[in-house]
Amino acid sequence: MRLLPQLTVDEAARLVQDGQTLLVGGFGMTGNPVHLTHALAELGTRNLTYVANNVGEPGIGGGRLLRNGQIRRAVGSFFTSNPEAVAAYQAGTLEVQLIPQGTLAEAIRAGGAGIGGFYTPTAAGTVIAADADVRTLGGQEMIFVPAIRGDVAFIRAWRADRAGNLQYRLTEQNFNRAMATAADLVIVEAEEIVEVGQIPPDQVHTPGLYVDYLVQASLTEADLGSSASVKGSGRRADETRMHMARRALQELRAGDVVNLGIGIPTLVADLIAPEHGINLHTENGMLGVGPAPEDGGAMNYPVNAGKVPVTALPGASYFDSADSFGMIRGGHVDVAVIGGLQVDAAGNLANWAVPGRPLLGVGGAMDLASGARRLIVTMTHTDPDGTPKIVPECTLPLTARGAVDMVITDKAVFEFVDGQLTLTGLMPGATVDEVRAGTDATFVERLDANPGS
């Protein structure tokens, strides 16, 4: 059996050359090969194409490479979490290619599997599709996405044996598993390197044939950024938002697999009790999400899509991002509850970008909107200036077309009944006149259709 060379982080970082494409695992700072990126930041390596879900956090992980001006182009799904990435893009010093999170994971998986690309309904009819080849397959419009491969991949594993077999911890599989297959040179930093045979075969997540070099590096809380402690992840939960969360909970049924987006939808998780029998899914690789712990952080707990430490309920499971979005696109998620900026009379959703504002992230919303069996949107009824958010036709960049089933605002509940936008409920304290005044789209009033609202 081949035994792999073990390098220092400095030796490993020197294997990356100017102008190369670098795949970097992790979701936020969880499962992120931070020691390798920091070692690379000490070198003069430049003009990198950096492929990852995001560019770390300010001064941490890929954020340190960005701060040094070593990244020329970033390919990923959510760069808004690092304001320095947004500033670099606005200044013209960073080229960015936004890809929906699930599409990114699948493109990397395809690259590792020797597949040239694939067709997906995610992002069809949106500006993200750009000039992609569009076809109708099985009656559904889909766009072609080419596979992604890298020259070098930086991977973070919990354990590695000397033959390169890898074991990941909790939600740290994320992009690591696919990226480990999709680069010409794969360098793994591991918390622990053990002898061959100490990782049982049924616990090997990445076989050693993909890996070229090993580096031993231990994590500290400082390496985990905003996920280091649950205390730094407090959410705003005023009563108006909680009303919306409670109303969304009424739509969930025992046995449902449910994905909750960031923002208002995340508040629903705080209301779910074991007796509800709801199975929460998070797109970074977990099914069976429990409530946030009282204390601690990502050193001890998995994290959710908001990068917040959470607990695992009995029967929970972990998987990587490619498998997670396969569940979503394959129609195995019963309900997605996500935020919105606009919903229109045709059930189109816009929730990721506002022209003129420095938003640089699409995340997993496009995959969820097109893949979940039922889509519930929670949002305020109007913008702060009173501009209606339920409109005849979306004017903001689309997330998905014709995907919305229900809209819950601070004023009302709307459903699409036989394709028609229909008012079926009022929120506490709201009146029909207020809803009429704050809604631009034409709608049918059927308030007796949902007496539980």
Side-chain angles (χ1 to χ4, degrees), residues 52-407:
N53 187 54
N54 54 18
V55 188
E57 295 185 8
I60 306 177
R64 191 167 296 186
L65 295 171
L66 177 71
R67 186 174 285 180
N68 289 350
Q70 293 170 272
I71 301 174
R72 176 184 60 83
R73 181 170 179 259
V75 179
S77 79
F78 198 78
F79 301 119
T80 311
S81 56
N82 186 343
E84 293 181 7
V86 177
Y89 172 73
Q90 291 179 307
T93 59
L94 178 68
E95 180 185 342
V96 165
Q97 180 184 356
L98 273 180
I99 302 178
Q101 191 178 133
T103 300
L104 176 66
E106 187 66 13
I108 295 166
R109 190 202 68 80
I115 297 171
F118 56 94
Y119 284 91
T120 176
T122 300
T126 75
V127 295
I128 292 290
D131 57 355
D133 180 42
V134 180
R135 300 202 180 177
T136 300
L137 302 173
Q140 192 169 19
E141 187 176 292
M142 299 193 181
I143 64 170
F144 182 76
V145 178
I148 293 175
R149 281 192 63 87
D151 297 300
V152 182
F154 283 175
I155 304 301
R156 175 74 194 181
W158 186 246
R159 299 175 83 204
D161 69 21
R162 294 186 61 212
N165 294 309
L166 308 180
Q167 182 181 24
Y168 305 103
R169 175 182 171 274
L170 306 177
T171 47
E172 293 174 4
Q173 294 186 47
N174 48 64
F175 285 88
N176 281 300
R177 263 183 53 193
M179 286 182 172
T181 73
D184 299 332
L185 185 70
V186 176
I187 305 170
V188 174
E189 71 166 59
E191 186 73 20
E192 182 182 12
I193 298 176
V194 300
E195 294 301 319
V196 175
Q198 287 189 245
I199 303 177
D202 61 349
Q203 294 180 27
V204 172
H205 298 124
T206 295
L209 84 163
Y210 293 111
V211 180
D212 297 292
Y213 295 100
L214 299 174
V215 172
Q216 192 281 320
S218 297
L219 282 178
T220 67
E221 285 192 0
D223 300 321
L224 293 170
S226 60
S227 298
S229 173
V230 72
K231 292 179 180 177
S233 59
R235 296 188 295 268
R236 188 172 71 178
D238 58 74
E239 192 58 23
T240 297
R241 290 169 178 257
M242 291 308 301
H243 280 317
M244 296 162 67
R246 293 185 191 102
R247 183 62 187 83
L249 179 61
Q250 291 182 33
E251 296 301 313
L252 309 183
R253 302 289 177 260
D256 278 351
V257 174
V258 178
N259 186 290
L260 301 174
I262 60 176
I264 295 171
T266 309
L267 300 175
V268 180
D270 296 334
L271 304 174
I272 295 175
E275 56 266 26
H276 288 119
I278 294 165
N279 202 359
L280 289 182
H281 171 276
T282 180
E283 58 259 37
N284 56 304
M286 182 179 180
L287 189 61
V289 179
E294 293 295 324
D295 202 356
M299 290 286 283
N300 308 107
Y301 295 99
V303 301
N304 64 13
K307 306 176 183 66
V308 175
V310 293
T311 55
L313 297 179
S317 58
Y318 302 108
F319 31 87
D320 79 333
S321 294
D323 281 349
S324 184
F325 280 95
M327 297 174 187
I328 295 167
R329 285 192 307 273
H332 306 291
V333 171
D334 296 296
V335 184
V337 185
I338 64 179
L341 296 172
Q342 284 183 337
V343 172
D344 70 21
N348 299 322
L349 168 67
N351 83 335
W352 69 276
V354 178
R357 294 187 187 176
L359 292 177
L360 207 61
V362 63
M366 288 187 176
D367 305 275
L368 285 164
S370 62
R373 294 178 183 173
R374 189 167 186 234
L375 181 65
I376 299 173
V377 175
T378 59
M379 63 183 186
T380 57
H381 204 87
T382 64
D383 286 325
D385 64 0
T387 301
K389 295 169 74 170
I390 301 176
V391 294
E393 184 175 354
C394 287
T395 57
L396 300 177
L398 289 183
T399 301
R401 295 183 301 178
V404 179
D405 295 290
M406 173 178 279
V407 184

